[in-house]
Amino acid sequence: MAAITNDWLTPLSGEFKKPYYKKLYDTLKEEYRNHVIYPPAEDIFNAFHHTPLSKVKVVIIGQDPYHEPGQAHGLCFSVQKGVDIPPSLKNIYQELHDDIGFVIPDHGDLTKWADEGVLLLNNVLTVRAHAAASHSGLGWEQFTDAVIKILNDQDRPIVFLLWGKPAQTKAAGLDNPNHLILKCPHPSPLSAYRGFFGCRHFSKANDFLQAHHVPPVDWQIH
């Protein structure tokens, strides 16, 4: 695992010392040794590397990484260039198009968002190949709960986009009135038509940021 070295390190350092995290770390070493695990170990903390705590404006919470070859690279919903755009991300792009006139790109790499201050955080940060949710319950949920607490404690406005029930469980840790919490169904083809389409979360996020004198996110990807 590539260590977190930016301004996330100090607030998270206590987690790395806790018994659950040591157990998680030891389990992951075995998993990477004996199975195909995504993302590659050096990419597990990419969301933190690309989006320092001081730069976070918007938080999007996914479930767990994509579990097919070449997809996951440590940013929720994102795939690297050259990889087919997954169905949920196609629906995210469609909502962006309908909401703000976003021009749909020919790839699914969301690194630009991460570099702009959008924390693309999965609830669980690793997964076995071809086995969705296979690393649920190993301890990642406790770690990402700690991340949410750190974000909740920030005294500047942050927007949380919680799509689907697993992401919305994180709302229990969000009680700071400085922040905006937006909820809707998951963008998966199974649920997008139940209220993800038409949610307008991207324009709402930017309206909130601008109302609080924070530069909006440029959602366009090229």
Side-chain angles (χ1 to χ4, degrees):
M1 283 190 234
I4 294 173
T5 56
N6 62 12
D7 62 358
W8 280 106
L9 181 59
T10 297
L12 281 172
S13 58
E15 295 304 303
F16 298 133
K17 300 183 180 88
K18 290 181 179 176
Y20 88 87
Y21 192 86
K22 183 180 186 315
K23 186 177 175 192
L24 170 63
Y25 184 83
D26 291 344
T27 302
L28 287 175
K29 279 204 297 192
E30 286 296 305
E31 285 284 296
Y32 275 94
R33 189 176 300 133
N34 297 313
H35 303 276
V36 177
I37 306 298
Y38 300 126
E42 63 272 17
D43 289 344
I44 291 173
F45 290 132
N46 265 356
F48 302 94
H49 300 323
H50 281 279
T51 316
L53 175 58
S54 60
K55 298 288 197 317
V56 176
K57 301 177 183 180
V58 176
V59 181
I60 298 177
I61 300 174
Q63 296 177 18
D64 63 343
Y66 295 124
H67 53 264
E68 297 303 324
Q71 291 183 311
H73 65 123
L75 305 176
C76 74
F77 293 107
S78 181
V79 292
Q80 297 186 80
K81 289 179 179 174
V83 177
D84 288 345
I85 301 172
S88 291
L89 183 53
K90 284 184 179 175
N91 287 341
I92 291 169
Y93 282 176
Q94 185 61 49
E95 175 58 23
L96 274 158
H97 172 75
D98 296 345
D99 184 10
I100 60 169
F102 176 88
V103 178
I104 295 174
D106 61 0
H107 65 86
D109 186 347
L110 305 181
T111 303
K112 176 182 178 281
W113 290 0
D115 291 339
E116 275 229 15
V118 181
L119 183 68
L120 296 168
L121 179 69
N122 276 311
N123 188 29
V124 172
L125 301 188
T126 54
V127 68
R128 271 193 202 179
H130 320 302
S134 47
H135 280 183
S136 295
L138 295 186
W140 279 129
E141 294 92 343
Q142 188 170 342
F143 180 78
T144 50
D145 279 350
V147 173
I148 294 299
K149 182 177 188 319
I150 292 163
L151 291 162
N152 183 64
D153 289 346
Q154 301 301 301
D155 62 3
R156 65 182 196 279
I158 297 173
V159 183
F160 293 83
L161 305 185
L162 306 182
W163 301 333
K165 289 206 175 90
Q168 288 163 16
T169 62
K170 294 298 193 195
L174 297 171
D175 59 6
N176 185 334
N178 285 325
H179 306 321
L180 176 66
I181 301 164
L182 297 174
K183 301 178 186 178
C184 71
H186 194 274
S188 152
L190 300 173
S191 55
Y193 290 94
R194 290 195 222 122
F196 178 78
F197 289 134
C199 70
R200 300 186 64 94
H201 278 187
F202 304 98
S203 60
K204 287 176 181 176
N206 275 352
D207 289 348
F208 176 81
L209 292 171
Q210 288 180 289
H212 290 83
H213 312 292
V214 178
V217 175
D218 176 9
W219 294 105
Q220 185 61 54
I221 290 169
H222 300 287

